[in-house]
Amino acid sequence: MSNLSIQPYRLPNSQISIKVLAEGAANVIYQITVDPGSRDIAEVDQGYQELEYLSGKLLRLRKDVPTTAPTSDSHQQWLGYILPLFKPEQLVAQELVYIGHLNVIPGLNTDLRRFDNPGGTSTSNHLAPPPKGKFYRSRAQSGTFLAKDDYGLLVTDMTPRKSLQETVVEFKPKWLSPSHEMPPKAIRCRTCALHARRVAFGEERKNTDLQSYLCPLKLTDDDPQLKFANYEASASHILHKTRESPAVQSLAKWIHENPLLKRLCDLQTEYDRKGSLKSEKASHELCVAMTLRDCSLYIRMDKNVQVIEARLGDLDYKSASKYSSWKKKEQELVDEGWYCGEEKKEFKQPVDECLLSRKN
């Protein structure tokens, strides 16, 4: 998949700066700025072209961890498997960019080492550049660094535009459609069951509240009498505001009216007809389904707290090599009783956060 028929855009050789904005388990996001400086007229004109081309885009570089593939390969998978599933305005757009000639990876890794802070935490799911000099790596990311890769991705910039007084929030919708392994008498969905198990075993990730707990079934509930209350509860959780606040009411209205989350739910169902315990290996369809279950949703709100843009990102195609871990997780949830609230007494966890517990 690494043979490229069309030459990708090349970042300019000089007069650019690359500044870290955010970091996830598999990638680091950078802001790119082009400074025409004191070059002659022709060079300045080229600089302005670069400025225009890079406007509204961020640089995404993969980390050297087992879950990432060469960027050119993962981009081809995104083009073939993910892009056709959604409307363009529903996705964080991405394009391949060549960076091999810049030899920037060693320097950027030096920066990451400087930012290492094992005790650091992220305290907000409002996506914004870190304050100057205040970027710290979370405990979970400390010690991981960028892979040696000649390519990166230019992605839609979903950070808030301060001059417009915008807010951008990010969260993971997770398993909007129930797991096939969920028993008929389940009172927890897959996301809630896994969360309960992780809390009980002290495994819940607390490095960032982007991963904080939200029952995904509330996002696509179709109960005529209860669904808007569930949308309000979800919006309140995402925004960390009371249900009565204008921002929460606006986001709840968006969840109710916009088809994006319903589309994501339908695709998760369509691509996983069998589940992970009923076969010996992962099909292509299951890999797509698991990709759709681990994406992020970025929502931009204007100064009047109206939703003006919403895009799905972090849609890197999941490798079939992860099948054994998927199967192991499902088997544990079933065998240990987490779906049905029948976990051992010493591990007992609340069940009332899951929508299923209120319907059964």
Side-chain angles (χ1 to χ4, degrees):
M1 275 192 168
S2 58
N3 292 330
L4 303 172
S5 57
I6 301 176
Q7 288 300 311
Y9 172 75
R10 295 166 66 97
L11 278 184
N13 286 307
S14 60
Q15 304 294 342
I16 67 166
S17 62
I18 301 175
K19 179 182 178 181
V20 64
L21 286 186
E23 180 178 10
N27 302 279
V28 184
I29 305 297
Y30 293 89
Q31 182 182 55
I32 314 167
T33 56
V34 179
D35 179 12
S38 58
R39 293 177 290 176
D40 60 31
I41 297 299
E43 290 177 323
V44 168
D45 287 344
Q46 176 64 28
Y48 281 119
Q49 290 172 17
E50 302 286 9
L51 273 171
E52 183 177 348
Y53 189 81
L54 293 171
S55 177
K57 298 172 184 175
L58 299 174
L59 177 64
R60 183 178 186 247
L61 301 179
R62 76 177 180 96
K63 292 163 73 172
D64 187 13
V65 293
T67 55
T68 66
T71 303
S72 58
D73 290 351
S74 64
H75 181 58
Q76 290 300 311
Q77 292 168 334
W78 182 85
L79 289 173
Y81 305 149
I82 305 300
L83 182 61
L85 301 180
F86 298 94
K87 296 178 180 178
E89 65 271 19
Q90 294 176 326
L91 290 175
V92 172
Q94 64 179 57
E95 66 172 290
L96 205 61
V97 57
Y98 184 72
I99 60 170
H101 59 301
L102 299 178
N103 193 32
V104 294
I105 299 300
L108 295 177
N109 276 335
T110 297
D111 287 342
L112 291 178
R113 289 186 180 90
R114 181 164 53 88
F115 289 133
D116 260 343
N117 176 24
T121 58
S122 174
T123 58
S124 175
N125 65 346
H126 289 62
L127 188 65
K132 187 176 181 180
K134 296 294 184 182
F135 179 82
Y136 294 105
R137 308 186 76 192
S138 71
R139 183 181 294 107
Q141 313 309 339
S142 180
T144 59
F145 302 99
L146 298 175
K148 186 178 180 181
D149 196 321
D150 286 340
Y151 297 95
L153 293 172
L154 291 177
V155 299
T156 306
D157 184 354
M158 287 299 292
T159 57
R161 293 166 289 203
K162 290 185 178 180
S163 62
L164 300 178
Q165 301 176 50
E166 294 177 340
T167 299
V168 174
V169 292
E170 172 192 356
F171 71 97
K172 286 183 175 291
K174 291 294 186 180
W175 290 55
L176 297 171
S177 62
S179 167
H180 289 281
E181 276 67 58
M182 190 175 73
K185 61 177 183 177
I187 56 174
R188 289 190 183 110
C189 67
R190 201 272 189 181
T191 301
C192 292
L194 183 61
H195 173 79
R197 188 181 189 278
R198 282 177 169 168
V199 170
F201 284 86
E203 299 172 355
E204 185 61 22
R205 294 172 290 183
K206 298 178 181 178
N207 57 297
T208 166
D209 65 5
L210 296 183
Q211 298 154 336
S212 63
Y213 174 58
L214 169 67
C215 176
L217 301 188
K218 295 178 182 178
L219 291 166
T220 53
D221 185 27
D222 58 2
D223 186 302
Q225 294 182 319
L226 299 176
K227 63 182 181 181
F228 197 79
N230 286 320
Y231 302 157
E232 286 179 327
S234 300
S236 176
H237 177 92
I238 293 165
L239 294 170
H240 304 297
K241 295 180 182 293
T242 63
R243 291 195 186 198
E244 297 76 22
S245 72
V248 166
Q249 289 299 309
S250 176
L251 182 54
K253 183 173 182 287
W254 179 88
I255 294 171
H256 176 58
E257 296 177 351
N258 193 282
L260 182 52
L261 286 170
K262 181 65 164 59
R263 173 64 176 163
L264 182 61
C265 179
D266 290 344
L267 286 169
Q268 290 179 4
T269 301
E270 177 184 339
Y271 277 87
D272 184 9
R273 299 289 186 183
K274 295 171 60 177
S276 59
L277 298 184
K278 297 179 175 64
S279 60
E280 293 303 316
K281 61 181 181 179
S283 65
H284 160 68
E285 288 76 17
L286 180 61
C287 291
V288 172
M290 297 303 283
T291 301
L292 297 170
R293 289 163 172 160
D294 197 35
C295 66
S296 298
L297 178 58
Y298 301 85
I299 298 177
R300 188 189 303 276
M301 305 179 81
D302 64 18
K303 65 179 181 180
N304 298 316
V305 297
Q306 298 302 303
V307 176
I308 56 174
E309 187 177 11
R311 296 177 183 268
L312 295 171
D314 301 328
L315 282 159
D316 298 314
Y317 180 73
K318 298 295 183 184
S319 169
S321 65
K322 301 189 73 173
Y323 178 70
S324 60
S325 67
W326 299 338
K327 189 170 185 176
K328 180 175 180 289
K329 283 180 183 177
E330 285 294 339
Q331 199 70 62
E332 289 170 343
L333 295 178
V334 172
D335 293 348
E336 296 172 11
W338 294 101
Y339 278 118
C340 299
E342 297 172 350
E343 63 270 20
K344 290 182 179 179
K345 185 177 180 180
E346 61 266 32
F347 295 134
K348 208 68 178 173
Q349 297 295 318
V351 299
D352 56 355
E353 282 302 315
C354 187
L355 187 64
L356 282 182
S357 70
R358 304 179 187 183
K359 291 192 171 184
N360 291 343

